Amino acid sequence: MTDLAFLSVRELLEGYARKAFSPVEVARACFARIAARADLNAFCLVDQDRATAEARASEARWSKGAPHGTLDGVPATIKDLLVTSGWPTLRGSKHVDPKGPWTEDAPAVARLREANAVLLGKTTTPEFGWKGIGDSPLTGITRNPWDPSRTAGGSSAGAAVAAACGMGALHVGTDGGGSIRMPAGFCGIFGIKPSFGRVAAYPASPAGLLAHIGPMARTVEDAARMMEVIARPDDRDPFALPPDKGSWLLDLDKGIAGLRVGYSPRFKTATVDPEIARAVDDAAKLLAELGAVVEPADPDIDLAQAREAFHTLWCASLARPLKALPRAAWTHSDPGLVATTEHGLSLSAQAYLDADAYRSALTQAMLRFHRRYDLLLTPQLPITAVVAGRDVADPATQSYWIDWTPFTYPFNLTRQPAASVPIGRHSDGLPMALQFVGRPYEDRVVLRAARAFERARPWAMPPG
């Protein structure tokens, strides 16, 4: 019998239309999955009563043959960095008052409600989303479904686990340095960081121009369907892009024949696990077989400079949440966030402006790269999932979480669309992934490439 919790959005909508099953049955199946894998700690809030009421209302509409909204009855989750009316948004921190008031929906949440998605609850995040590992002082460790001794990644930790384990079809994540792509890669699902401003944000993230909002799902098509709903402007976001009226599904299956792909296996200097390197090499060959023009090409990225610039901008930005609190209260925070805050407060305005100048220079370098190439192909992560509870993979050589993810944060600096695509399992049993990076605002090309790869090499059903 088909497990309702693992159906795609298309399968759900078609099943509702045929009356093969109802939104209430699907919601129940998702709640059963949440309960069955409670050990993974994907959720900080589950509202079964409210979600069931939403599912019953959807069921009534479908029974009359009058669904309303493109996601009517589809189960979805919200990362606990986005405000949600009626639910506390604690951001993984003990410093946020759960009493609220909680009266507003972030733009992405509002769009999902308008589409009549069924919101199941809120997924876990490290404190204020500060790192690429899935643990916080408030909610503890979120664990990898393929191996609970490993991290799910972060900061969209719970969203990745929920997607992998059938705890909803669609999941809202955020990405300030890889926070959609890293957990997607570690957990074996699809995730895309859209172009900055494509999905409106409110309230603004502490990470400012580094922070993106986007979908995480089990399939590329599901993510595209989610973009149809959430990729709309909102007048509360001063950086939101103008309306984009084209369908996100229209050219999704167009394929990649003729697209030029620049393949950079290491950014010249990054160290990549040999198995991951071979898997990405094989993926590059497959893309060529599908008709893409694939060439070795390293973009002009100096990882040492990129790291320094990102670290400066990140620490300055992420110092803001704790800055407003008495120092005595910092003892209740993640020690790594405290260290980040202290470093951020020590930075000069000139250091920040130097980092911002490098951000502009890197963006220009990537625009030059894309004069020749439609897409950049890289490993998404050079390693498989880090041991749970650790911020770095190798304490002897790494001092900050960005040191083990060289392929993600440069594209937060440039604000380009970038996606994580599963490419199989490592000999250690954990997922591996590649990354597609597109020209600014050409998110659809990134989705097309990911979809072409997915159709040619479907990834295995996520762990049960």
Side-chain angles (χ1 to χ4, degrees):
M1 181 178 177
T2 301
D3 190 334
L4 298 180
F6 283 98
L7 295 182
S8 70
V9 173
R10 180 195 296 269
E11 290 167 333
L12 289 171
L13 297 176
E14 290 175 350
Y16 296 158
R18 297 195 317 270
K19 297 183 172 58
F21 46 80
S22 76
V24 173
E25 291 174 288
V26 171
R28 286 173 179 163
C30 292
F31 285 124
R33 296 296 305 150
I34 293 169
R37 297 311 311 267
D39 60 307
L40 300 177
N41 192 31
F43 284 80
C44 55
L45 182 150
V46 177
D47 193 338
Q48 192 161 347
D49 290 342
R50 178 167 160 179
T52 300
E54 292 175 358
R56 290 196 185 282
S58 176
E59 181 181 61
R61 290 189 293 272
W62 281 103
S63 68
K64 296 175 183 176
H68 183 69
T70 55
L71 297 176
D72 201 343
V74 174
T77 73
I78 310 297
K79 181 178 178 179
D80 196 39
L81 292 183
L82 280 74
V83 293
T84 309
S85 178
W87 290 343
T89 301
L90 303 182
R91 300 177 173 89
S93 179
K94 295 180 179 180
H95 300 300
V96 180
D97 185 354
K99 295 178 182 178
W102 308 108
T103 58
E104 286 190 288
D105 282 329
V109 180
R111 303 294 86 80
L112 288 172
R113 286 200 201 280
E114 291 162 5
N116 277 312
V118 173
L119 303 187
L120 305 177
K122 306 204 76 175
T123 53
T124 54
T125 176
E127 190 171 16
F128 298 112
W130 83 270
K131 63 181 177 180
I133 298 294
D135 62 71
S136 82
L138 183 68
T139 59
I141 295 173
T142 297
R143 298 182 180 276
N144 193 298
W146 297 90
D147 180 351
S149 72
R150 303 295 186 100
T151 183
S155 63
S156 304
V161 174
C165 294
M167 304 171 183
L170 300 176
H171 310 271
V172 182
T174 68
D175 191 314
S179 290
I180 285 174
R181 291 161 290 155
M182 292 181 293
F186 280 166
C187 293
I189 64 158
F190 177 75
I192 181 169
K193 174 185 77 70
S195 297
F196 181 81
R198 178 58 64 205
V199 179
Y202 173 84
S205 165
L209 301 183
L210 296 170
H212 304 229
I213 298 170
M216 303 173 73
R218 289 185 293 276
T219 71
V220 177
E221 181 181 321
D222 282 358
R225 286 178 178 272
M226 189 172 179
M227 287 295 287
E228 287 263 280
V229 171
I230 67 173
R232 300 177 188 174
D234 188 294
D235 62 12
R236 295 174 292 174
D237 181 357
F239 298 107
L241 296 175
D244 185 343
K245 297 180 181 179
S247 170
W248 288 84
L249 298 170
L250 182 62
D251 291 330
L252 188 63
D253 289 326
K254 188 176 179 180
I256 57 171
L259 291 182
R260 300 192 69 89
V261 179
Y263 172 36
S264 180
R266 297 179 58 244
F267 283 176
K268 297 181 181 178
T269 59
T271 300
V272 180
D273 176 278
E275 280 191 56
I276 295 175
R278 287 194 296 271
V280 181
D281 280 342
D282 289 344
K285 294 172 185 174
L286 176 58
L287 295 174
E289 292 170 6
L290 296 174
V293 179
V294 181
E295 299 175 352
D298 287 316
D300 187 13
I301 298 175
D302 182 314
L303 281 177
Q305 283 186 287
R307 185 206 186 277
E308 179 64 24
F310 180 86
H311 188 249
T312 294
L313 296 172
W314 188 253
C315 291
S317 300
L318 269 293
R320 293 171 61 199
L322 296 191
K323 177 184 175 183
L325 300 172
R327 290 228 174 199
W330 294 8
T331 58
H332 299 294
S333 279
D334 185 324
L337 177 59
V338 172
T340 293
T341 299
E342 290 172 338
H343 181 68
L345 295 177
S346 74
L347 293 166
S348 68
Q350 190 62 54
Y352 187 94
L353 291 173
D354 287 345
D356 196 54
Y358 176 78
R359 169 164 47 190
S360 296
L362 179 59
T363 302
Q364 291 169 331
M366 287 307 302
L367 291 172
R368 291 192 297 271
F369 178 90
H370 285 294
R371 289 174 187 167
R372 179 173 179 83
Y373 298 107
D374 301 292
L375 293 163
L376 169 65
L377 170 68
T378 76
Q380 196 273 305
L381 287 160
I383 58 172
T384 56
V386 177
V387 173
R390 294 183 185 173
D391 288 352
V392 296
D394 181 7
T397 61
Q398 299 166 350
S399 60
Y400 204 67
W401 63 267
I402 55 174
D403 292 328
W404 49 260
T405 183
F407 300 105
T408 59
Y409 63 82
F411 305 110
N412 292 84
L413 291 169
T414 63
R415 291 170 273 182
Q416 296 171 251
S420 174
V421 181
I423 53 172
R425 293 172 68 183
H426 193 276
S427 60
D428 64 9
L430 294 166
M432 303 180 292
L434 60 78
Q435 177 177 239
F436 288 114
V437 183
R439 291 187 185 96
Y441 316 123
E442 292 192 1
D443 306 52
R444 287 176 176 79
V445 177
V446 174
L447 287 167
R448 270 177 54 197
R451 174 65 170 157
F453 186 87
E454 176 187 44
R455 294 183 72 185
R457 190 179 293 170
W459 38 84
M461 175 64 71

